[in-house]
Amino acid sequence: MSQIRGRFRKAADKTAAAYTASISFDQRLYVEDIAGSIAHARMLGKQGIISPEEAETIVKCLQEIKDEIEQGKFRFRTELEDIHMSIEARLVEKVGEAGGKLHTARSRNDQVALDMRLYTKKVIAETLLRLKGLQQALVEVAETNRDVVMPGYTHLQRAQPVLLAHHLLAYFEMLQRDADRFGDCLKRADVMPLGSGALAGVAHDIDRDFVAKELGFSSVSRNSMDAVADRDFILEYEAAASICMMHLSRLAEEIILWSSAEFDFIELDDAYATGSSIMPQKKNPDIAELSRGKTGRVYGNLMALLTTMKGLPLAYNRDMQEDKEGFFDTVDTLLSTLEVFAGMVKTLRIKPEKMRQALDKGYLLATDLADYLVKKGAAFRLSHGIVGKLVSYALSKGISLGELSLDEYRRFSPLFADDVHEITAEASMAARNAKGGTAPEQVVQALAEARKTLEMPRRRKKASI
Ligand code: ARG
């Protein structure tokens, strides 16, 4: 820190230094910090702001520092406060005075904004890959179980028969919207802030477009004060991550329910389940539960940063250093959740016979019976009432609707005829054949479309780091 304490007469108090230091967590930005510095040094050399030889030496040493970090030879020191100062200090140590020239036409304010944007772009690319991995797993399970029928629920009450594939593809859609949201976030993260200086711009003949090109950015920021004070791109990632975790948490909840003895629709693979320390019979869905729990953390990180940012006057304020830990935590949580979910979903054992049994016991064809009467000329409200009475009758006898005789049916309405026994789960699903419905024809089509979406390469920004 001594490099920047010229105007002080004392060293920082130990507790003050520890309180302000971010090196323990921002060291993960070393790749981005070094890439940004290399591009900056090249630009300074090209523009004659430093000599080409100095630029070359700086670039070479920065590459060596990267190796040192990767080989675990670099010592991060709290006194050096953050990743920017740590790398610069080591550079000066290695090359002497020329190292001190790297920070010409730059401030840590635009430097940290650059690092965070580079990092965000990198993690968005990884997030998209992992989203795709989970989508692939869902499509695989849907395809191998294409004919499996299950009860669809509303209010967690058995409602109408649906294909399991249809149910799983609902999650495919959610994740596709998540991917779109991250893709959108990428567009706004893809703006190069270096050259904004501390806040007002820099008083040197710099070439910002050159730096942007070197680092794979599509454009440069238009306002220096905004560029150093903006963390919207992190908030957007955290917001998209929150929505995505909410989706994963809903899937987790279904996996938890479905693997309970009460539902018994699926069994988790041993590799994705945990045992109980006391009850030997237990097979617990801990991964699903943890992901449901971790969703709270991801929401919390979003709320924390929104709150941090809301009172800040322009431009940079140190409060903004608080963007990092929550963001890194969100990234780690989301990426690991997506990865483990892909494995957990892919290895689920589906129990088609149990799903079918739940269907038979659930009076799920009641709506179809009402529709049947409507087609025979009854008003829907009337037929709704008739079928309600039928269900109550069947319930009192402890049998399913399919087990009622035609005579029994006709006791409730003379409109019932022989063809009432043609109302089956299969017929019920096949009838829902408008786009987006659970009819097998539609689901086959939806699966093909999902496959096509997965095969489409996402437009990926070239990053040169
Ligand atoms: N560690 C700081 C952060 O993360 C870097 C920027 C420091 N700038 C400053 N003017 N103190 O925000």
Side-chain angles (χ1 to χ4, degrees):
M1 256 254 273
S2 55
Q3 307 109 290
I4 58 163
R5 291 190 68 84
R7 60 110 65 212
F8 299 102
R9 297 211 202 111
K10 280 184 181 174
D13 176 81
K14 262 203 161 57
T15 55
Y19 192 76
T20 49
S22 53
I23 190 64
S24 64
F25 49 86
D26 69 11
Q27 55 182 267
R28 78 154 77 184
L29 296 172
Y30 80 91
V31 179
E32 289 71 28
D33 198 73
I34 289 175
S37 289
I38 288 177
H40 183 65
R42 286 196 177 127
M43 185 277 289
L44 293 176
K46 178 182 89 68
Q47 295 296 95
I49 298 168
I50 62 173
S51 77
E53 297 73 41
E54 284 169 334
E56 213 172 289
T57 312
I58 290 174
V59 169
K60 191 174 109 317
C61 284
L62 284 169
Q63 276 154 350
E64 287 168 12
I65 293 172
K66 189 172 174 206
D67 291 340
E68 287 172 17
I69 296 175
E70 275 161 9
Q71 287 158 13
K73 291 186 196 146
F74 192 99
R75 207 164 65 81
F76 292 105
R77 298 181 359 232
T78 310
E79 322 86 80
L80 291 175
E81 206 173 296
D82 58 26
I83 188 64
H84 325 296
M85 308 286 283
S86 301
I87 290 172
E88 190 185 322
R90 179 75 185 118
L91 184 71
V92 172
E93 211 172 272
K94 281 167 86 83
V95 299
E97 209 201 319
K101 292 194 175 180
L102 170 64
H103 212 52
T104 315
R106 188 173 74 171
S107 150
R108 272 190 297 164
N109 298 352
D110 55 355
Q111 187 179 359
V112 73
L114 174 71
D115 291 5
M116 291 302 275
R117 283 180 178 271
L118 282 170
Y119 180 81
T120 304
K121 286 177 66 179
K122 178 171 83 180
V123 296
I124 289 176
E126 189 57 34
T127 308
L128 291 174
L129 272 180
R130 295 201 191 192
L131 275 168
K132 194 174 257 202
L134 178 53
Q135 284 180 303
Q136 233 137 18
L138 288 164
V139 169
E140 264 171 47
V141 179
E143 267 170 353
T144 24
N145 296 280
R146 197 184 291 195
D147 303 324
V148 174
V149 192
M150 63 175 289
Y153 293 80
T154 62
H155 314 269
L156 198 58
Q157 305 288 323
R158 292 168 187 161
Q160 287 175 351
V162 293
L163 284 181
L164 169 68
H166 195 53
H167 193 124
L168 294 175
L169 284 178
Y171 285 99
F172 179 94
E173 294 295 332
M174 296 176 223
L175 297 177
Q176 191 55 34
R177 289 195 297 278
D178 289 328
D180 289 348
R181 265 183 283 274
F182 284 111
D184 236 29
C185 171
L186 177 61
K187 282 186 228 153
R188 281 178 290 277
D190 189 23
V191 177
M192 209 288 295
L194 209 63
S196 301
L199 75 161
V202 296
H204 293 273
D205 178 25
I206 55 172
D207 183 349
R208 299 188 65 206
D209 291 321
F210 173 85
V211 176
K213 200 151 170 249
E214 283 279 294
L215 294 170
F217 280 98
S218 302
S219 64
V220 301
S221 54
R222 288 191 294 259
N223 181 300
S224 62
M225 297 184 78
D226 175 46
V228 292
D230 164 39
R231 293 294 181 270
D232 292 6
F233 59 101
I234 299 176
L235 287 166
E236 283 189 44
Y237 184 97
E238 291 187 356
S242 296
I243 297 177
C244 184
M245 284 298 293
M246 176 271 290
H247 288 150
L248 298 177
S249 184
R250 294 183 76 170
L251 178 56
E253 175 66 11
E254 306 224 70
I255 288 174
I256 294 162
L257 286 172
W258 291 4
S259 58
S260 69
E262 283 68 17
F263 274 80
D264 200 21
F265 285 179
I266 56 172
E267 187 183 344
L268 284 167
D269 190 82
D270 284 358
Y272 292 93
T274 28
S276 155
S277 58
I278 173 162
M279 297 164 281
Q281 85 281 14
K282 295 282 295 285
K283 186 169 182 182
N284 293 333
D286 287 25
I287 291 170
E289 292 170 275
L290 275 167
S291 68
R292 198 176 52 182
K294 284 173 191 284
T295 302
R297 276 168 56 162
V298 172
Y299 292 1
N301 292 334
L302 169 64
M303 287 318 297
L305 185 56
L306 280 169
T307 313
T308 296
M309 297 302 294
K310 76 181 258 297
L312 299 186
L314 291 182
Y316 178 83
N317 297 273
R318 192 62 179 272
D319 316 44
M320 288 157 69
Q321 178 168 294
E322 286 294 308
D323 60 355
K324 292 179 192 57
E325 284 160 291
F327 180 43
F328 295 157
D329 180 57
T330 287
V331 169
D332 293 343
T333 305
L334 179 62
L335 291 182
S336 58
T337 305
L338 286 169
E339 186 179 25
V340 75
F341 262 52
M344 176 171 65
V345 167
K346 225 181 281 183
T347 54
L348 280 179
R349 189 167 76 78
I350 308 293
K351 300 181 173 175
E353 65 299 339
K354 300 285 184 180
M355 291 185 180
R356 168 66 72 169
Q357 277 167 22
L359 204 62
D360 291 339
K361 285 191 215 134
Y363 302 95
L364 280 90
L365 297 176
T367 316
D368 297 87
L369 267 181
D371 285 340
Y372 169 95
L373 290 177
V374 167
K375 281 181 192 153
K376 303 255 172 183
F380 184 77
R381 273 294 152 241
L382 180 71
S383 60
H384 185 281
I386 294 170
V387 177
K389 289 195 188 98
L390 255 166
V391 169
S392 160
Y393 172 76
L395 266 172
S396 70
K397 293 191 71 180
I399 57 175
S400 71
L401 286 172
E403 287 166 303
L404 294 174
S405 69
L406 180 58
D407 274 354
E408 287 170 303
Y409 272 115
R410 291 179 69 86
R411 257 185 254 158
F412 293 86
S413 166
L415 292 173
F416 284 117
D418 255 348
D419 56 357
V420 69
H421 285 118
E422 285 163 22
I423 299 174
T424 59
E426 277 65 27
S428 162
M429 289 189 305
R432 286 164 174 80
N433 200 21
K435 188 165 174 63
T438 192
E441 199 183 316
Q442 293 303 323
V443 174
V444 165
Q445 178 81 21
L447 276 169
E449 278 168 26
R451 275 265 169 236
K452 225 161 74 212
T453 306
L454 289 177
E455 276 152 25
M456 239 159 34
R458 270 202 166 266
R459 207 167 52 84
R460 192 91 66 71
K461 284 271 166 298
K462 157 180 147 317
S464 34
I465 61 169

Coordinates of all heavy atoms in Angstrom, one line a residue, residues 5 22 60 67 69 75 113 127 131 143 160 181 194 230 236 258 279-280 290 315 349 356 367 375-376 378 383 413 459:
R5 N 0.4 5.9 -0.4 CA 0.3 6.6 0.9 C 1.2 7.8 1.0 O 1.5 8.3 2.0 CB 0.5 5.6 2.0 CG -0.7 4.6 2.1 CD -0.6 3.8 3.4 NE -0.9 4.6 4.6 CZ -2.1 4.9 5.0 NH1 -3.2 4.5 4.4 NH2 -2.3 5.6 6.2
S22 N -9.5 -6.3 0.3 CA -10.4 -7.2 -0.4 C -9.6 -8.3 -1.1 O -10.2 -9.2 -1.7 CB -11.1 -6.4 -1.5 OG -10.2 -5.7 -2.4
K60 N 5.5 -8.9 -20.6 CA 6.2 -10.2 -20.4 C 6.1 -10.5 -18.9 O 5.8 -11.6 -18.4 CB 7.6 -10.1 -20.8 CG 8.4 -11.4 -20.8 CD 9.8 -11.2 -21.4 CE 10.9 -11.3 -20.5 NZ 11.3 -10.9 -19.3
D67 N 1.7 -16.8 -14.2 CA 2.2 -18.1 -14.0 C 2.5 -18.3 -12.5 O 2.2 -19.4 -11.9 CB 3.5 -18.4 -14.8 CG 3.3 -18.4 -16.3 OD1 2.1 -18.7 -16.7 OD2 4.2 -18.2 -17.1
I69 N 1.1 -17.0 -10.0 CA -0.1 -17.2 -9.2 C -0.7 -18.6 -9.5 O -1.0 -19.3 -8.5 CB -1.2 -16.1 -9.7 CG1 -0.7 -14.7 -9.3 CG2 -2.6 -16.4 -9.0 CD1 -1.6 -13.6 -9.8
R75 N 2.6 -14.6 -3.3 CA 2.1 -14.4 -1.9 C 1.1 -13.2 -1.9 O 1.6 -12.1 -2.2 CB 3.2 -14.2 -1.0 CG 2.9 -14.7 0.5 CD 4.1 -14.8 1.3 NE 4.9 -13.5 1.5 CZ 4.5 -12.6 2.4 NH1 3.5 -12.8 3.2 NH2 5.2 -11.5 2.5
A113 N -13.8 -1.9 -12.6 CA -15.0 -2.0 -13.4 C -14.7 -2.9 -14.6 O -15.5 -3.8 -15.0 CB -15.5 -0.6 -13.9
T127 N -22.3 -20.1 -17.4 CA -23.7 -20.3 -16.9 C -24.6 -20.9 -18.1 O -25.4 -21.8 -17.9 CB -24.3 -19.0 -16.4 OG1 -23.4 -18.4 -15.5 CG2 -25.7 -19.2 -15.8
L131 N -26.6 -24.4 -18.1 CA -28.0 -24.4 -18.3 C -28.3 -25.4 -19.4 O -29.3 -26.2 -19.2 CB -28.5 -23.0 -18.7 CG -28.8 -22.0 -17.6 CD1 -29.0 -20.6 -18.2 CD2 -30.1 -22.4 -16.9
E143 N -37.3 -38.0 -23.3 CA -37.4 -38.8 -24.5 C -37.4 -40.3 -24.1 O -38.2 -41.1 -24.7 CB -36.1 -38.6 -25.4 CG -36.4 -37.5 -26.4 CD -35.2 -37.0 -27.2 OE1 -34.1 -37.4 -26.8 OE2 -35.4 -36.2 -28.1
Q160 N -55.4 -33.4 -14.1 CA -55.7 -34.0 -15.4 C -54.4 -34.9 -15.8 O -53.3 -34.5 -15.4 CB -55.9 -33.0 -16.4 CG -57.3 -32.3 -16.3 CD -57.5 -31.1 -17.2 OE1 -56.6 -30.7 -17.9 NE2 -58.7 -30.6 -17.2
R181 N -32.3 -14.6 -20.5 CA -32.0 -13.5 -19.6 C -30.5 -13.3 -19.4 O -30.0 -12.2 -19.4 CB -32.7 -13.7 -18.2 CG -34.0 -13.1 -18.1 CD -34.6 -13.3 -16.7 NE -35.1 -14.7 -16.5 CZ -36.3 -15.1 -16.9 NH1 -37.2 -14.2 -17.3 NH2 -36.7 -16.3 -16.7
L194 N -12.6 0.9 -19.4 CA -11.3 1.4 -19.2 C -11.1 2.7 -20.0 O -11.5 2.7 -21.2 CB -10.2 0.4 -19.6 CG -8.9 0.5 -18.8 CD1 -9.1 0.3 -17.3 CD2 -7.8 -0.4 -19.3
D230 N -21.2 2.2 -12.3 CA -22.3 1.3 -12.6 C -22.0 -0.1 -12.2 O -20.9 -0.7 -12.5 CB -22.5 1.4 -14.2 CG -23.3 0.2 -14.7 OD1 -24.3 -0.2 -14.0 OD2 -23.0 -0.3 -15.8
E236 N -27.9 -7.4 -12.7 CA -28.7 -8.2 -13.7 C -28.3 -9.7 -13.6 O -29.2 -10.5 -13.7 CB -28.4 -7.7 -15.1 CG -29.1 -6.4 -15.4 CD -29.0 -6.0 -16.9 OE1 -29.2 -6.8 -17.8 OE2 -28.8 -4.8 -17.2
W258 N -41.8 -36.2 -5.1 CA -41.9 -37.4 -5.9 C -41.1 -38.6 -5.4 O -41.5 -39.7 -5.6 CB -41.5 -37.2 -7.4 CG -42.4 -36.2 -8.1 CD1 -43.5 -35.6 -7.7 CD2 -42.3 -35.9 -9.5 NE1 -44.1 -34.8 -8.7 CE2 -43.4 -35.0 -9.8 CE3 -41.4 -36.2 -10.6 CZ2 -43.6 -34.4 -11.1 CZ3 -41.6 -35.6 -11.8 CH2 -42.7 -34.8 -12.1
M279 N -31.4 -43.3 11.0 CA -32.5 -44.2 10.5 C -32.0 -44.9 9.2 O -31.9 -44.3 8.1 CB -33.7 -43.4 10.1 CG -34.3 -42.7 11.4 SD -35.5 -41.4 10.9 CE -34.4 -40.1 10.6
P280 N -31.7 -46.2 9.3 CA -31.0 -46.9 8.3 C -31.8 -47.0 7.0 O -31.3 -47.2 5.9 CB -30.7 -48.3 8.8 CG -31.1 -48.3 10.3 CD -31.9 -47.0 10.5
L290 N -30.9 -28.9 -0.4 CA -29.9 -27.8 -0.3 C -30.1 -26.8 -1.4 O -30.0 -25.6 -1.1 CB -28.5 -28.4 -0.4 CG -28.0 -29.0 0.9 CD1 -26.7 -29.8 0.7 CD2 -27.7 -27.8 1.9
A315 N -19.3 9.5 -8.1 CA -19.2 8.3 -9.0 C -18.8 7.1 -8.2 O -19.6 6.6 -7.5 CB -18.2 8.6 -10.1
R349 N -34.6 -42.6 -11.5 CA -35.3 -43.8 -11.9 C -36.8 -43.4 -11.8 O -37.3 -43.1 -10.8 CB -35.0 -45.0 -11.0 CG -35.6 -46.3 -11.5 CD -35.0 -47.5 -10.8 NE -35.6 -47.7 -9.5 CZ -36.8 -48.2 -9.3 NH1 -37.6 -48.6 -10.3 NH2 -37.3 -48.4 -8.1
R356 N -49.0 -44.2 -13.0 CA -50.3 -44.7 -13.6 C -51.3 -45.0 -12.4 O -52.5 -44.6 -12.6 CB -50.0 -46.0 -14.4 CG -51.2 -46.8 -14.9 CD -52.1 -46.0 -15.8 NE -51.5 -45.9 -17.1 CZ -52.1 -45.4 -18.2 NH1 -53.4 -45.1 -18.1 NH2 -51.5 -45.3 -19.4
T367 N -63.0 -34.1 -15.8 CA -63.2 -32.9 -16.8 C -63.6 -33.5 -18.1 O -64.4 -32.9 -18.8 CB -61.9 -32.1 -16.9 OG1 -61.3 -31.9 -15.7 CG2 -62.1 -30.8 -17.6
K375 N -70.5 -32.3 -25.2 CA -70.5 -32.7 -26.6 C -71.9 -33.4 -27.0 O -72.3 -33.3 -28.1 CB -69.4 -33.6 -27.0 CG -68.1 -32.8 -27.2 CD -66.9 -33.6 -27.6 CE -65.7 -32.7 -27.4 NZ -64.5 -33.5 -27.1
K376 N -72.5 -34.0 -25.9 CA -73.8 -34.6 -26.2 C -75.0 -33.6 -26.0 O -76.1 -33.9 -26.0 CB -74.0 -35.8 -25.2 CG -73.0 -36.8 -25.3 CD -73.4 -38.1 -26.0 CE -72.3 -39.0 -26.2 NZ -72.6 -40.2 -26.9
A378 N -75.3 -31.1 -23.3 CA -75.6 -30.5 -22.0 C -74.8 -29.2 -21.8 O -73.7 -29.1 -22.4 CB -75.2 -31.5 -20.9
S383 N -73.3 -30.1 -16.7 CA -72.5 -31.4 -16.7 C -71.5 -31.4 -15.6 O -71.2 -32.5 -15.0 CB -71.9 -31.5 -18.1 OG -71.0 -30.5 -18.3
S413 N -77.2 -39.3 -15.7 CA -77.7 -38.5 -16.9 C -78.0 -39.5 -18.0 O -77.2 -40.4 -18.3 CB -76.6 -37.6 -17.3 OG -76.9 -37.1 -18.6
R459 N -24.9 -17.5 -29.7 CA -23.9 -16.5 -30.2 C -23.0 -16.2 -29.0 O -23.5 -15.7 -28.0 CB -24.6 -15.3 -30.7 CG -23.8 -14.5 -31.8 CD -24.8 -13.5 -32.4 NE -25.4 -12.7 -31.3 CZ -24.8 -11.6 -30.8 NH1 -23.7 -11.3 -31.2 NH2 -25.5 -11.0 -29.9

